[in-house]
Structure formats: C-alpha cells, structure tokens
C-alpha cells in the first residue's frame, strides 16, 4: 500500500512538473526568458548527475565542466559544418579567417548528424568510465579524487584555448541552424526549450529509478561504508564507475543542448569555474535528495542572472559565502532544512490526551461493595 502511494506521489510530481514546464512557462515567459530558462534546465541536467554521483555515491566531482564542454564542443562542430555547407563553403567561417582551406580530418565525421549524436553519448561516458576505472580501482577517493577531477577540468580548458582549429579562446560561435532548423526562428527556439525540458524530466526519472533500485542501495552503502561493501563480496570501484559515467553522460547531453540554446560554446564553459558553479547549485539545493540538485541549480543560475546585472562583482562573493554557509552549517542543503523542520514538528506535536475515565455510578459502586462484603 505504501509503495502504491509513493508511486502515485511520484507520478503526480512529474505531472505537475510537466504542466509547469510545458504549459505555464511557455505562456508566462517571453521568448528571451524562455530561452534563458532552457539554459538553466541544461544546468539542472548536469546537477541531477552530480546528485547521483556526489549525493548518493559520495564522489566530490569537481570536473563536470569537462564532460559538459565535451558535449557542447561535439555538437558545436556539427553545427559549424552544417552552417558552412549551407553557405556552400568547405570550412567554417573562423577557419577561413585563420587561413585554413581544408577541413581537418577529425572534423569530417561530425558532418553526419547520427555520428554526432552517437559521439555525444559515447565520448564523455567512455572517458569518465576509463578515468573512473583507473582511479577507483586504486582506491583513490575523497579530496584526492576531487583534486584530480578539478585538475582535469583545468587541463582541458587550457588545451582548448591553444587549439585554433576549434576556435581557440573564442570557442565555437554564431550557430545558425540546428539539424536543419533555423535558430533565428522563435518557434525553433521554443522547440529547443521543449527538448531541454523533456530531457530533464527523463533524466530525473532515470535518477529516481536508480536511487530506488538495488544499485542505489549499494551506492549509498559504498558512500557510508566502502570496506563493509567490499567484505560483502561487491567491488565498490565498479559501483562508483557506473555513477560517475552516468553523471558524465548527463553532463555531455546537457552541454550538447546548451550550445544551440545559447548560440556558442567556449573554454569558459569547460574549466574550473563552471564545474564549481554546478557543485554550488547541488549543495545549496540538497545533494542527497532527488529534486534538490535540480531546483538548486535552477535557483542559483536564476539568481546569478538576476543579481549579476546589478551587482556583477558582489555576486561572486555572495555565491561563495552562500556555499560556505550551506556546506558548513547545512550540509543537507535547503531540502534538508525541510526534512528537519518536518521531523521537529512531528516531535513537538500536541501531546496525546489522557484516556477518558468512565462516569462513576454511586449506586453501582454501593451494590458492588455489598456483594464483596
């Protein structure tokens, strides 16, 4: 019975989210604000994967910008080739400015939409699986794993800046089409928003299924007692690799959607700063819950857009201070505060009333005394 109620609440939650994303937001928001919300939804997709890897698995992933950037660059390469083909040119516009007249060999496969989509799914996931297998098999964890993942993000950002064949420090910009659809058309921009919203719902559904499966229980067990799990006959490294690879998959998909929604992808979306920004949203929302990371990522991104317009320099300090406060004093995030409030309310609820005594009947008592005497 309890399982059926839980499933009903879950389906009701998804229905409400679908109504808000597909019904309310397109009507209430302008095209610009709707596109901005689509950008935030991409961040939420990344956050859902971080919640699985960090919140459930205990892996402090400080390098998700790597996989986010890989997905964005892979999609950007296809979009730039498609733009060049529409203009009847052999190479993208930025290569012509640099004097390149022949398309590099590693660019050529991305002229195919099917190859591009497959690469977005396989390359970030494969890199994460290989890296995670090598790291977790050596039992690297905690701060050492966090530093390693952050160093990977910094290295990739530096590498991209030095590669003029993929845009250098400017990245890939001025996307005009998306699989044949013109990005200047407001209807197509709304289509991209709907794709991002649908992808987010699917990712959240997958994460929820994993959390409530036996694998999810093993992941929490690895987080809380890795050695005990090993003694029970399971390999914690394999369990961690799956969560880390799935988080990378979600980040790659989010990056691939981010590129056409925003219109560019650059090294500034790949390095340490965006990786930490993803983590801040997850921590503030509540990393151990299902919706906490998603809502936290959207809320932090919205606040950054809102307040950075008026306080561009102060917002960075406010964001860092908020992160310190949450990690130091509220490690469960805002979602944890709600759970704590409900528990306290349950403990301090109204005291149970004492049992009522039956009305006394003096005549009956007198008869009873007479019989016993």
């Amino acid at each position: 019975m309890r399982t059926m109620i839980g499933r009903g609440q879950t389906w009701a939650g998804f229905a409400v989210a679908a109504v808000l994303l597909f019904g309310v937001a397109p009507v209430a928001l302008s095209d610009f604000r709707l596109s901005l919300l689509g950008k935030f939804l991409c961040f939420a997709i990344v956050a859902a994967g971080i919640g699985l890897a960090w919140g459930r698995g205990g892996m402090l992933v400080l390098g998700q910008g790597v996989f986010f950037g890989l997905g964005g660059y892979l999609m950007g390469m296809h979009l730039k080739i498609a733009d060049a083909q529409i203009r009847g040119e052999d190479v993208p516009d930025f290569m012509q400015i640099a004097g390149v007249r022949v398309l590099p060999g590693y660019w050529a496969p991305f002229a195919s939409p099917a190859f591009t989509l497959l690469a977005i799914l396989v390359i970030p996931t494969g890199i994460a699986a290989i890296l995670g297998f090598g790291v977790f098999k050596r039992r690297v964890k905690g701060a050492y794993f966090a530093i390693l993942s952050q160093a990977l993000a910094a290295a990739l950002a530096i590498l991209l800046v030095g590669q003029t064949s993929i845009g250098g420090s400017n990245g890939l910009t001025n996307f005009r089409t998306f699989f044949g659809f013109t990005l200047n058309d407001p209807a197509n921009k709304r289509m991209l928003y709907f794709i991002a919203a649908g992808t987010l719902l699917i990712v959240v559904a997958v994460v929820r299924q994993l959390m409530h499966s036996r694998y999810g229980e093993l992941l929490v067990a690895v987080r809380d007692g890795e050695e005990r799990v090993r003694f029970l006959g399971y390999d914690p490294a394999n369990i961690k690799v799956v969560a880390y690879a799935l988080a990378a998959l979600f980040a790659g998909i989010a990056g691939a959607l981010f590129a056409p929604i925003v219109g560019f992808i650059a090294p500034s979306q790949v390095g340490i700063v965006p990786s930490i920004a993803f983590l801040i949203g997850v921590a503030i929302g509540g990393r151990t819950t299902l919706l906490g990371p998603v809502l936290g990522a959207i809320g932090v991104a919205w606040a950054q857009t809102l307040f950075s317009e008026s306080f561009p320099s102060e917002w960075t300090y406010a964001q860092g201070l908020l992160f310190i406060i949450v990690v130091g004093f509220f490690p469960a995030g805002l979602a944890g505060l709600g759970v704590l409030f409900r528990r306290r309310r349950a403990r301090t609820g109204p005291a149970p009333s004492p049992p009522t005594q039956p009305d006394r009947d003096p005549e009956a008592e007198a008869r009873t005394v007479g019989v016993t005497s």
Side-chain angles (χ1 to χ4, degrees), residues 255-295:
L257 291 173
F258 175 88
I261 289 176
V262 178
F264 72 95
I265 186 71
S268 58
Q269 277 87 40
V270 176
I272 296 175
V273 174
S275 298
I276 295 178
F278 293 144
L279 210 67
I280 290 176
V282 173
I284 292 175
R287 60 188 176 92
T288 59
T289 60
L290 175 62
L291 296 180
V294 173
L295 298 178

Side-chain angles (χ1 to χ4, degrees), residues 8 28 32 66 84 86 161 194 206-207 216 241 262 282 299 341 345:
F32 172 75
V66 171
I86 292 175
V161 169
F194 289 132
V206 171
V207 172
V241 167
V262 178
V282 173
F341 176 76
R345 187 176 181 181

Side-chain angles (χ1 to χ4, degrees), residues 90-371:
D90 296 330
V91 296
D93 49 5
F94 72 92
M95 290 187 183
Q96 296 178 15
I97 297 175
V100 179
R101 296 293 179 264
V102 179
L103 192 68
Y106 67 91
W107 273 73
F110 290 95
S112 168
F115 179 86
T116 302
L117 294 176
L118 183 63
I120 291 170
L121 298 176
V122 172
I123 292 179
T125 309
I127 292 176
I130 295 172
L131 178 64
F133 188 82
V135 170
F136 297 133
K137 281 294 184 179
R138 295 178 178 272
R139 302 187 183 183
V140 177
K141 56 183 178 180
Y144 299 101
F145 172 74
I147 293 172
L148 179 62
S149 61
Q150 193 175 55
L152 180 64
L156 181 61
I158 295 172
L159 177 65
L160 292 175
V161 169
Q163 299 297 318
T164 57
S165 60
I166 50 178
S169 59
N170 294 325
L172 304 177
T173 61
N174 298 325
F175 302 136
R176 296 180 176 86
T177 60
F178 177 75
F179 294 104
F181 296 94
T182 304
L183 292 178
N184 291 330
D185 189 347
N188 294 335
K189 289 184 177 181
R190 285 180 170 252
M191 177 193 66
L192 280 172
Y193 163 78
F194 289 132
I195 293 175
T199 303
L200 175 61
L201 291 179
I202 293 173
V203 167
V204 172
V206 171
V207 172
R208 183 197 176 276
Q209 185 64 30
L210 289 172
M211 285 183 174
H212 290 79
S213 65
R214 180 168 180 79
Y215 170 77
E217 296 176 354
L218 286 173
L219 191 59
V220 174
V222 169
R223 180 195 66 190
D224 297 337
E226 185 171 329
E227 295 301 325
R228 292 183 180 181
V229 174
R230 184 174 288 107
F231 291 151
L232 291 175
Y234 296 97
D235 189 351
N238 296 336
I239 299 172
K240 287 184 176 182
V241 167
V242 172
Y244 187 52
L246 284 174
L249 171 63
F250 298 153
I253 294 173
L257 291 173
F258 175 88
I261 289 176
V262 178
F264 72 95
I265 186 71
S268 58
Q269 277 87 40
V270 176
I272 296 175
V273 174
S275 298
I276 295 178
F278 293 144
L279 210 67
I280 290 176
V282 173
I284 292 175
R287 60 188 176 92
T288 59
T289 60
L290 175 62
L291 296 180
V294 173
L295 298 178
I298 295 175
V300 169
W302 174 81
Q304 181 179 4
T305 302
L306 180 64
F307 293 108
S308 61
E309 296 175 356
S310 303
F311 310 99
S313 59
E314 290 80 358
W315 165 249
T316 303
Y317 297 105
Q319 189 180 32
L321 178 62
L322 183 60
F323 179 68
I324 293 172
I325 292 174
V326 170
V327 173
F329 300 97
F330 308 104
L334 298 180
L337 291 179
V339 175
L340 182 62
F341 176 76
R342 289 194 298 268
R343 288 179 179 177
R344 286 188 176 182
R345 187 176 181 181
R347 292 176 183 175
T348 60
S353 58
T356 58
Q357 298 292 336
D359 296 335
R360 297 180 61 186
D361 187 355
E363 295 182 359
E365 292 180 0
R367 289 194 298 270
T368 303
V369 172
V371 171

Side-chain angles (χ1 to χ4, degrees), residues 53-98:
W54 183 31
R56 291 285 172 164
M59 293 169 280
L60 184 58
V61 286
L62 287 175
Q64 291 305 98
V66 171
F67 310 113
F68 181 82
L70 282 174
Y73 267 90
L74 295 175
M75 177 61 75
M77 292 168 69
H78 169 73
L79 298 182
K80 294 303 293 184
I81 294 176
D83 292 345
Q85 290 176 346
I86 292 175
R87 297 192 306 269
E89 299 171 351
D90 296 330
V91 296
D93 49 5
F94 72 92
M95 290 187 183
Q96 296 178 15
I97 297 175

